[in-house]
Amino acid sequence: MSQTNPNHSHTESNLYEVKPQKPMPVVVYEPESRLRHPLQLFQEMWADLLSSRDLAWQLLKRDIQAQYRQSLLGIIWAFIPPLVTAAGLTFLREAKILNLGETSIPYPVFVIFSMTLWQTFTQTLNSMMGASRTAKAILTKLKVPPEAFVISKIGQIIFNFAIQLIPVVFFFIWFKIPVTWSLLLAPVAFIHLLMLAVGVGLLIGPLSCLYGDVSKFMTYIIQGWLFITPVIYPMPSQGFWRILLKLNPVTPLLVTTRDLATTGEVSQVLGFWIASVIAIISLLLGWIFYRLAMPFIVERA
């Protein structure tokens, strides 16, 4: 006759006993803009900017290697465009086909240096739009600071600009352009020119990820922008065209960089400071817009 173990039955009852579970925490999402807490937003932006240095360096090396890989001429392609443009415009000017006015320095030096500055500006603007598209592709798979893509593009622009300065230095020596102490201040004006390009590019970049027409439209905008900037001709002394050029924020930044690097006489002091303020504000607004817009771009992707 078998005996029933009371402990065994008690154990079996415990196996089927349903224990009460703790209530799950409730997460409430509110449509509150992050701009309502600007200090916290800027702290996050600054922290991500510092933490993105290593990734930006890796992206920079990859982009530079990819840029000149499978190329016979290599870095020569960096300064061929301004050289060809300068040679063509100089020929047209000397042949009296184009009347481009008198410049304070030899025209070949004037146009090659101006074209180098202008192409750096436009390349920076286009690179910022490219940074948004690159960030869109990677942020859908990895969670990394979006600032890394911007820093890598800026590094690539500075690298290309350093290469493009090689023929400019050669022209300075060939035409015996005097070097003054103001040359040390030229990088300050040049940085402001880059800041304006970065700010505008970051404002347009997220939009170009949503609408392909934005990039095509900017191509025509940049082409027309060249003609209202004193790149291939000097600043006119009077008239409506002078007023139009002075309203262009690129004009005082580019002209001041050129003046400081050549003659040392700054012709647009007030315009430079106004354009510098515009550049700083554009950079700040562009960074904020890029930071806030990219999560929505990634979500739509």
Side-chain angles (χ1 to χ4, degrees):
M1 184 175 181
S2 62
Q3 296 181 354
T4 304
N5 188 354
N7 294 332
H8 178 71
S9 60
H10 179 70
T11 303
E12 287 183 350
S13 63
N14 288 340
L15 290 176
Y16 298 99
E17 182 181 356
V18 179
K19 296 181 179 179
Q21 297 181 353
K22 296 181 179 180
M24 296 294 293
V26 179
V27 180
V28 179
Y29 295 95
E30 297 180 355
E32 182 180 8
S33 173
R34 298 179 66 188
L35 293 175
R36 294 186 178 182
H37 306 283
L39 182 59
Q40 180 181 356
L41 176 61
F42 285 127
Q43 288 176 346
E44 294 176 0
M45 293 167 58
W46 181 253
D48 284 348
L49 182 66
L50 296 179
S51 63
S52 63
R53 290 175 296 179
D54 293 336
L55 177 58
W57 174 248
Q58 297 299 326
L59 292 173
L60 174 61
K61 291 193 297 184
R62 184 203 65 177
D63 293 340
I64 292 178
Q65 291 173 357
Q67 183 178 1
Y68 299 110
R69 189 184 297 125
Q70 297 180 350
S71 175
L72 294 176
L73 297 180
I75 62 176
I76 297 178
W77 286 113
F79 50 77
I80 282 182
L83 275 176
V84 172
T85 304
L89 290 173
T90 302
F91 172 77
L92 294 176
R93 184 173 181 269
E94 295 298 326
K96 307 298 182 181
I97 298 176
L98 289 179
N99 183 14
L100 299 174
E102 297 298 327
T103 56
S104 56
I105 57 177
Y107 186 75
V109 182
F110 176 91
V111 69
I112 191 174
F113 188 36
S114 300
M115 283 301 302
T116 300
L117 295 175
W118 172 254
Q119 289 187 356
T120 302
F121 174 80
T122 57
Q123 288 172 2
T124 304
L125 203 158
N126 290 324
S127 294
M128 293 303 103
M129 293 190 290
S132 299
R133 292 189 290 270
T134 304
K136 172 187 173 183
I138 296 181
L139 290 177
T140 54
K141 304 174 183 178
L142 300 174
K143 183 176 176 58
V144 295
E147 286 79 7
F149 308 97
V150 176
I151 297 175
S152 66
K153 292 297 183 182
I154 294 176
Q156 186 178 0
I157 289 297
I158 295 176
F159 177 82
N160 292 335
F161 178 73
I163 296 175
Q164 292 172 349
L165 280 181
I166 296 176
V168 174
V169 172
F170 173 78
F171 271 58
F172 271 53
I173 297 174
W174 181 266
F175 287 94
K176 299 179 181 180
I177 303 298
V179 178
T180 62
W181 66 269
S182 63
L183 180 64
L184 300 176
L185 298 177
V188 178
F190 175 71
I191 290 174
H192 289 180
L193 182 65
L194 287 184
M195 290 170 62
L196 180 62
V198 172
V200 175
L202 291 179
L203 286 171
I204 300 175
L207 299 178
S208 66
C209 294
L210 295 177
Y211 310 102
D213 295 338
V214 174
S215 299
K216 297 178 181 179
F217 182 72
M218 284 304 302
T219 301
Y220 296 105
I221 291 294
I222 292 174
Q223 290 177 355
W225 205 342
L226 170 64
F227 296 106
I228 59 171
T229 308
V231 175
I232 62 176
Y233 56 86
M235 190 75 178
S237 58
Q238 58 184 359
F240 172 77
W241 199 252
R242 178 180 176 84
I243 298 176
L244 182 62
L245 265 62
K246 292 185 69 174
L247 294 176
N248 178 7
V250 179
T251 296
L253 299 177
L254 189 146
V255 170
T256 301
T257 304
R258 187 174 60 205
D259 289 344
L260 291 173
T262 55
T263 62
E265 299 178 1
V266 179
S267 57
Q268 300 190 31
V269 178
L270 179 60
F272 170 76
W273 289 114
I274 294 176
S276 296
V277 173
I278 295 175
I280 295 173
I281 295 176
S282 299
L283 178 61
L284 183 60
L285 293 179
W287 186 10
I288 294 174
F289 181 71
Y290 171 79
R291 175 83 182 195
L292 298 180
M294 287 312 300
F296 295 97
I297 302 297
V298 173
E299 183 181 354
R300 292 194 60 175

